[in-house]
Every structure is written in C-alpha cells, then in structure tokens.
Amino acid sequence: TQGIIFIAERPWPTLDDVFAGHCPLLLGLDRVQDPGNLGTLIRTAEAAGCTGVLSFAGSADAFSPKSLRSSMGSAFRLPIISGVTDVGAVTACRSRGLKTVIASGDGDTTHFAHDWNLPTMLILGNEARGVSASLKGQCDARVRIPLHAPVESLNVAAAGAAILFEAVRQRSL
C-alpha cells in the first residue's frame, strides 16, 4: 500500500442521480467478480462521461479497498448503485427511455456500427461467463468487438473501455 489512510463518507446516490442528463449513458455490471476490474470500469465510466453505474447483485463491492484503489477516486464522484437486480435495472432503464445494450462475443453487430447517440445502458458481464442468459433475452441490442484470430475475448475492463470510448467518439461528432 501507499501508506495513506483517510476516512470518507460513502455516497448513496438515487436513481435520479444515475439517470441525470438529457442523454444518459450508464454502465451496468452483471456479476463482475474481480474488484480490480470493477474499479477500473468505474474509473473508465467516469472518464467516458457516463452518468452512473448500476452494479448488479453478485458483483464485487465498489467500495472494497481494491476496487477503490482501481477507481482512483471515481467511486466517490460517479453515482454508483450496487446490488440492483438485472430485471430491475432493465425495467428502470426502459421506464426512462433508455436502450439496453449487452456486450457479447456473439453480438449481432459491432460496437462501431451501433448508434450510441441514444440514451443507453451498456451491460458488461462476468469475467468467465459473460452476461447472464436472462439478460441476453431482455436486451435491446447485443454488440461485439471485432477481434483478430486466434484471440477469442478481452478482459472485461478492456472491453468496457473500447466500447465506452466508441460511444464517446460517436457522441462528439
């Protein structure tokens, strides 16, 4: 460790905080287990301008020491709601006009071809198993990152960065 100790109050955002803005971009995390990956994704989400993170039940704790180290302070600035159900997250998004997009190796379209200019929640899945089967059936779109053979997949944090920054690129045009 770096030998620094501090006390901070854990933020408790509401759904209104997460869905703020005229065109929200949310990150949904479905059972992401590694605290380092989770913290890195939170940091990446803040860097990409996401309005918030929904961390589904079964994911690592966004405020564990390893997650906090990886998030580099983003966990205290970006609204994060933990422990939500996948069905609850999709329902909340739909009721607010957001599309739900799942990252999957067998996605129907590439992340470049998807229109990220709409209010959207990108859902990333578990490091070993991906997004749950129940979520795959509920989503509005499934995107994939084109990879050169023989590589079959990316680390979830690397995949999240690639997709979120494509959304940033499209939203800045």
Side-chain angles (χ1 to χ4, degrees), residues 5 9 29 44 70 129 165:
I5 298 175
E9 185 175 340
L29 303 176
T44 302
S70 297
R129 295 177 300 283
F165 280 96

Side-chain angles (χ1 to χ4, degrees), residues 70-137:
S70 297
S71 78
M72 297 296 291
S74 292
F76 292 105
R77 296 184 297 266
L78 185 65
I80 302 167
I81 298 182
S82 299
V84 297
T85 65
D86 54 1
V87 173
V90 170
T91 300
C93 285
R94 289 216 171 109
S95 71
R96 288 169 173 83
L98 277 76
K99 300 293 183 187
T100 54
V101 178
I102 289 175
S104 177
D106 63 352
D108 304 318
T109 186
T110 68
H111 70 299
F112 298 122
H114 183 76
D115 182 1
W116 294 102
N117 289 298
L118 302 172
T120 303
M121 177 172 64
L122 168 65
I123 301 172
L124 301 172
N126 176 273
E127 292 89 343
R129 295 177 300 283
V131 173
S132 70
S134 64
L135 270 174
K136 282 186 178 182

Side-chain angles (χ1 to χ4, degrees), residues 6 11 16 20 36 50-51 54 65 71 84 87 95-96 143 147 149 165 167:
F6 70 94
D16 288 338
C50 286
T51 54
L54 297 179
S71 78
V84 297
V87 173
S95 71
R96 288 169 173 83
V143 298
L147 303 173
F165 280 96

